[in-house]
Amino acid sequence: ATTSTTAYGALDLDWSDYNEVAQVDVVRYRIYVAPTFFDDVSAMALYDVAPAETLRHTVTGLTGDSINYVAVVAEDALGNWNPAVRAYSAQASVSALGEVRNLAVETFADRLQFSWTPPDSNILFLDRYHIFFGGSETPLSISGESTSYTFDGLEPGHGYTFRIATVDWIDTESDGISLFAATWLPNPTLTRARGFDGIARLAWDPVTPTNLLNHYAVYVDLAGFTSVVGMTPVLTTTATQVDVTGLTNGMAYTCAVTAVSLSGGEDAAVTTVEVTPEPIPPVQYADLGLGP
């Protein structure tokens, strides 16, 4: 008795070593199943039957992943059979093919790269995946051996729905799991940068579409830069004006802001401005129109 590889909630039975011919008059095999060990089937209900000359059989209708004990008894033409048995145990196959795990997306300006890991049990049932992208009701079918798929030629700053379903070898499709992903948003251009006492005040226009924005990331460094690859933002915000504090007066700082999408991606190429913090007498704040 082994876990079935051809049916859900099932065990594959094999008694091919039994010499049916020598028994002369076997007409069928009685199959018994129980959750615990047994050695006598006299009082047990018959679970299934198989005709003579059938030395392999799949028992179905079991609870997925459950441990079951099973025995096969030969019955002759007069209806006689021996109730003394020795049950064998095995784990039933899963009740359904599971969904993919760890679905994730890596975003770019004009493409989205999705990745996943296969279902965690009975992978032998997996035949292929169906992918539904951008609201399409027609699936894209890809190999069950695939663990990623990339959509190219997409519009920057756009959101796309992605659903992936598992499909078994008997064409049963799972409900699937979904992910909403967005290509990179355009980075905002700093419209105002002013230095105060240990402070760089930065302002910018909001990016669109706003529904795809998760937050803005603010980068500040003494060294000049045109890309934020490998850099850590000094702060994040959903506002369009911030004060970066704790800076040194008289030092020129390079500043930039990126728009981080709902998918966590950002365009690393940035346009920067320089700001030099310096003390300004409080009386001048009103003249600047910026406040203290």
Side-chain angles (χ1 to χ4, degrees):
T2 58
T3 302
S4 179
T5 59
T6 60
Y8 290 125
L11 295 176
D12 289 335
L13 310 183
D14 184 340
W15 59 94
S16 55
D17 288 340
Y18 180 68
N19 190 348
E20 180 182 292
V21 174
Q23 309 309 313
V24 180
D25 60 350
V26 173
V27 294
R28 68 172 184 170
Y29 294 96
R30 304 170 66 91
I31 299 172
Y32 296 87
V33 180
T36 57
F37 177 78
F38 57 91
D39 55 14
D40 189 296
V41 297
S42 300
M44 291 180 61
L46 189 64
Y47 187 89
D48 203 355
V49 295
E53 300 182 8
T54 302
L55 302 181
R56 294 180 180 84
H57 184 74
T58 298
V59 175
T60 60
L62 305 174
T63 301
D65 287 327
S66 62
I67 301 298
N68 298 268
Y69 289 81
V70 61
V72 178
V73 178
E75 181 179 333
D76 66 19
L78 297 178
N80 299 313
W81 47 278
N82 185 352
V85 298
R86 183 185 184 282
Y88 284 79
S89 66
Q91 185 174 21
S93 57
V94 295
S95 56
L97 180 60
E99 304 288 4
V100 302
R101 297 169 294 148
N102 305 316
L103 179 61
V105 61
E106 185 175 3
T107 64
F108 302 89
D110 60 353
R111 72 183 189 276
L112 296 171
Q113 182 174 309
F114 297 89
S115 62
W116 59 87
T117 52
D120 60 359
S121 60
N122 277 34
I123 194 66
L124 291 175
F125 286 95
L126 178 64
D127 180 68
R128 61 193 185 277
Y129 297 108
H130 279 174
I131 292 175
F132 301 83
F133 184 71
S136 173
E137 296 183 358
T138 302
L140 170 67
S141 183
I142 65 172
S143 167
E145 297 180 355
S146 302
T147 56
S148 65
Y149 195 85
T150 300
F151 288 92
D152 295 301
L154 305 178
E155 291 291 329
H158 277 63
Y160 298 88
T161 57
F162 176 93
R163 180 167 67 88
I164 182 169
T166 55
V167 185
D168 62 23
W169 57 270
I170 54 175
D171 294 333
T172 303
E173 181 182 291
S174 68
D175 292 335
I177 59 174
S178 300
L179 186 65
F180 182 76
T183 50
W184 288 345
L185 292 164
N187 286 331
T189 300
L190 286 166
T191 58
R192 187 168 56 183
R194 175 77 68 173
F196 296 97
D197 189 4
I199 296 173
R201 177 163 295 169
L202 309 174
W204 56 90
D205 291 330
V207 300
T208 56
T210 56
N211 65 312
L212 297 182
L213 177 73
N214 184 274
H215 63 265
Y216 297 104
V218 179
Y219 295 87
V220 177
D221 201 281
L222 284 170
F225 59 91
T226 58
S227 171
V228 297
V229 172
M231 296 181 64
T232 301
V234 295
L235 58 87
T236 61
T237 180
T238 56
T240 56
Q241 177 174 304
V242 296
D243 283 350
V244 180
T245 60
L247 305 183
T248 302
N249 290 334
M251 302 290 289
Y253 290 87
T254 301
C255 307
V257 178
T258 63
V260 181
S261 75
L262 293 177
S263 301
E266 63 183 346
D267 188 349
V270 292
T271 301
T272 62
V273 296
E274 283 194 355
V275 179
T276 301
E278 55 187 17
I280 299 178
V283 70
Q284 297 183 26
Y285 286 146
D287 297 334
L288 294 173
L290 294 173

